[in-house]
Amino acid sequence: MTTLEASTNRVSAGQIFLRTCRAEWTRLWTVKATWWFLAAAAAIMIGFGAIAGFEAGGDPTPTPDASAWQAAHFTGFPAQFAFLALVLIAVTADYATGGIIPTLQWTPRRTVLFFARTVVTVGTVTLAGVLLAVASALAAFIAAGHVLTLPVDDGVDTLATVAFVFAAGTGLAAGLGFVLRNTAGGLVAVFLLILLLPLILPQFGYDWLTTVADLLPGSRSIFLLTGEPNDRGFTTTSSVITMLTWATTLLLVGFLRLHRTDANR
């Protein structure tokens, strides 16, 4: 056995995974698009949170004990599109540039690459979303001049909801990226599933189209964040299950495609 072979054999799968995660982390933060998308999400969540606070502070008949955490709920929905686009680009950029070939030469274990890229991108974006949700609530609280409150229990529920919606949504986006291997196609698919179809389909007036809309992840993310629509029988449990089903299914399909299809196709 050569020295190189002996050295290779001593490296565990866990070490390889951690090294790949570090590489993915470096790759994510050295791309300008990451910073631009995070800046856009911050501007939306903090800016709109402050606006909501000013409106609450200027209300002549403010609601007693109104929570500033509601700002995080309502600003989270538009801001999530910046996060979804960030994850899609992080997953598909290698395919657009042809960099997936040297990436797989560096990390030939495709399972390791899949989980490292997914964990780093989804985990980073989810954490950033939670931090921005806190900043949004604080901006609303400060701008309202103490008309709003910041109850701890409400904050825990809000941050848990925001974390789940962002994690499930970006997991779905990562899965689409691995499946489609195309940035433009992935962005179109995400916007259809999360925004356009859930809003447009019920407008046609057909029950079956409304049922289809109810099964889309966008309808459930809107419900979890804003409580709307409240007349279609949605529950928190059913919404969590629906979003998890979409995310896990697309990630599984993306995993299978990465394993079974040539990376340059």
Side-chain angles (χ1 to χ4, degrees):
M1 180 181 293
T2 66
T3 303
L4 178 61
E5 289 174 337
S7 175
T8 303
N9 289 338
R10 287 197 297 268
V11 179
S12 67
Q15 289 175 309
I16 295 173
F17 176 73
L18 290 176
R19 291 176 182 177
T20 307
C21 284
R22 284 196 293 267
E24 289 297 316
W25 174 265
T26 302
R27 172 177 172 269
L28 183 66
W29 290 106
T30 52
V31 176
K32 290 182 179 179
T34 299
W35 297 97
W36 282 110
F37 283 121
L38 288 178
I44 292 171
M45 296 192 73
I46 298 174
F48 286 178
I51 291 172
F54 283 124
E55 289 183 352
D59 190 345
T61 57
T63 303
D65 298 325
S67 175
W69 291 108
Q70 287 301 310
H73 282 273
F74 287 96
T75 60
F77 181 71
Q80 71 174 319
F81 292 101
F83 295 135
L84 295 171
L86 192 163
V87 170
L88 264 170
I89 291 176
V91 171
T92 60
D94 270 359
Y95 295 102
T97 62
I100 189 65
I101 303 300
T103 295
L104 287 174
Q105 289 173 338
W106 181 257
T107 310
R109 299 184 184 182
R110 298 193 179 196
T111 300
V112 172
L113 176 65
F114 175 85
F115 281 103
R117 183 160 292 183
T118 300
V119 168
V120 169
T121 54
V122 173
T124 300
V125 166
T126 301
L127 178 58
V130 170
L131 294 176
L132 288 177
V134 174
S136 179
L138 288 174
F141 177 74
I142 294 170
H146 304 294
V147 171
L148 300 177
T149 62
L150 279 173
V152 175
D153 56 345
D154 193 16
V156 172
D157 290 340
T158 294
L159 296 181
T161 299
V162 168
F164 172 78
V165 171
F166 286 172
T170 53
L172 179 153
L176 274 174
F178 282 111
V179 172
L180 299 177
R181 300 182 174 183
N182 181 278
T183 302
L187 289 173
V188 170
V190 162
F191 276 93
L192 285 173
L193 291 172
I194 301 296
L195 180 63
L196 295 181
L197 292 179
L199 296 178
I200 292 175
L201 292 182
Q203 305 306 316
F204 289 98
Y206 295 102
D207 291 340
W208 69 274
L209 285 178
T210 301
T211 300
V212 171
D214 291 347
L215 296 175
L216 294 176
S219 299
R220 302 312 178 116
S221 68
I222 295 173
F223 174 76
L224 289 173
L225 289 173
T226 68
E228 299 291 340
N230 56 11
D231 59 349
R232 302 226 295 260
F234 289 178
T235 65
T236 299
T237 301
S238 65
S239 298
V240 167
I241 292 173
T242 299
M243 293 196 70
L244 281 178
T245 300
W246 275 95
T248 53
T249 300
L250 285 171
L251 283 170
L252 176 60
V253 175
F255 173 77
L256 292 175
R257 186 173 189 204
L258 179 65
H259 257 267
R260 299 183 179 185
T261 308
D262 289 344
N264 59 350
R265 292 184 181 178

